[in-house]
Amino acid sequence: MDLRQMEVVIAVAEEGGFTAAAQRLHVVQSAVSSTVRALERELGTTLFDRTTHRVSLTPAGEAFVPAARAALRAADQARAAVDVVQGHLRGRITVGTMQGVWADLHRPLAALRAEHPGVVVRLRQAAVVDIRQALREGTVDLAVVALDRQQQRGLVTRLLSREEMVLVSAPGRAFPVTDGKVALADAARLPLVDFTPGWAIRLAVDKAFRAASVDREPTFEVNDIVAASELVRNDLGVCVMPVSIADRFPDLTTHRFDRHAPNWKVMVVRPRGEAPPAVAALLRHMT
């Protein structure tokens, strides 16, 4: 068994098929199939259930893939350790992120690129629940996300920023305000543009409305911040979002909440244990 075989099996598992895995690895499909078959013969069991429509992991495959990922990570760390001794750093790291936090990433990424041009960074944008799972599986090395206390369990976290969320509306939309602030109960009576379940903003907003014992029903659900802003701009609804994101749309009007404002805490997160050299280098630039 060698690292290349492990890489091929992981690619098939993650891509959901041999053709897609071959495209990812830049090889022909027959090479992927023969590599998997050779490894299955060596292990004495099948790793994939193959049908005409789909490829899925067998129980043996489910057990093999996490161990293979760990082996590849260990090999990468061994190479990186040698690179550090030789005075240069190479390698590849995957950084998870979600929409709205790019401002927390572009400066440290630029600094890492200037310091270690041999390090390749892959950005993976997804919902916060998917990023957390990827951290646990080892397919993401670190992430810049907003997690609640329960989601932080088993991970190393460092707070980057904290802010309250605001209600964003089209200019001129009328609704009750007191001293320039709006109540969650009044916001719930308005047409609401919400983000899809699993998004960090949605999780924080849901938590705030529950804490205030206020029920609400979204009028629109979107998975894109720009789409949310367009709906608000055309006065189809209002949207709750962090101030730092609302500031990107200066033509819209923001309103603070009088009480129970949703909180937005962005943090850098990684699995427990010693950070690989390339990850540690990026962390040094995150403040």
Side-chain angles (χ1 to χ4, degrees):
M1 185 187 308
D2 57 38
L3 296 177
R4 179 60 177 176
Q5 290 174 313
M6 296 181 187
E7 184 181 15
V8 169
V9 170
I10 291 171
V12 174
E14 292 179 350
E15 299 297 333
F18 289 82
T19 300
Q23 293 172 346
R24 167 171 152 179
L25 299 170
H26 305 292
V27 297
V28 296
Q29 180 180 337
S30 59
V32 172
S33 299
S34 61
T35 298
V36 172
R37 284 197 300 269
L39 181 56
E40 288 176 329
R41 285 196 299 270
E42 181 179 345
L43 295 173
T45 186
T46 57
L47 299 175
F48 295 98
D49 284 327
R50 303 158 173 87
T51 69
T52 55
H53 299 292
R54 62 191 296 267
V55 173
S56 60
L57 288 167
T58 63
E62 293 281 0
F64 179 85
V65 168
R69 288 192 181 116
L72 291 178
R73 286 197 302 273
D76 287 340
Q77 291 172 11
R79 296 188 192 98
V82 174
D83 288 339
V84 171
V85 171
Q86 293 177 332
H88 52 79
L89 188 61
R90 292 191 298 266
R92 183 176 59 190
I93 59 176
T94 301
V95 178
T97 185
M98 55 190 190
Q99 285 197 29
V101 299
W102 174 244
D104 297 292
L105 268 176
H106 72 272
R107 291 186 180 87
L109 287 176
L112 176 69
R113 181 69 176 171
E115 183 181 22
H116 300 293
V119 175
V120 176
V121 178
R122 296 185 297 187
L123 290 178
R124 176 178 173 182
Q125 183 172 284
V128 66
V129 292
D130 296 329
I131 292 175
R132 185 180 185 277
Q133 183 63 28
L135 285 165
R136 294 171 63 90
E137 293 175 349
T139 56
V140 164
D141 297 296
L142 80 159
V144 177
V145 288
L147 298 177
D148 62 26
R149 188 181 302 275
Q150 184 176 3
Q151 292 171 326
Q152 296 174 33
R153 292 177 180 172
L155 300 170
V156 178
T157 66
R158 174 159 38 102
L159 184 67
L160 294 178
S161 63
R162 184 199 310 265
E163 60 183 295
E164 288 188 350
M165 295 189 188
V166 294
L167 187 71
V168 179
S169 71
R173 172 178 274 274
F175 50 85
V177 294
T178 303
D179 296 328
K181 297 182 178 181
V182 63
L184 279 177
D186 291 327
R189 299 187 185 98
L190 300 170
L192 292 174
V193 179
D194 228 330
F195 295 96
T196 53
W199 274 54
I201 294 177
R202 175 66 178 266
L203 293 172
V205 172
D206 285 346
K207 181 179 179 180
F209 274 89
R210 284 196 303 269
S213 299
V214 174
D215 294 326
R216 82 188 197 285
E217 185 66 34
T219 305
F220 299 95
E221 283 189 351
V222 298
N223 62 356
D224 180 79
I225 290 169
V226 174
S229 71
E230 284 298 316
L231 290 169
V232 173
R233 183 173 291 109
N234 287 280
D235 203 20
L236 294 172
V238 298
C239 183
V240 181
M241 60 178 68
V243 174
S244 59
I245 296 177
D247 286 345
R248 302 178 193 179
F249 310 107
D251 59 315
L252 303 179
T253 303
T254 61
H255 313 266
R256 293 193 176 274
F257 292 101
D258 60 353
R259 292 180 302 164
H260 303 294
N263 288 307
W264 178 252
K265 294 192 296 183
V266 175
M267 58 196 71
V268 57
V269 186
R270 65 176 181 85
R272 292 191 182 277
E274 184 177 357
V279 173
L282 179 57
L283 287 170
R284 286 194 294 270
H285 295 293
M286 288 187 168
T287 59

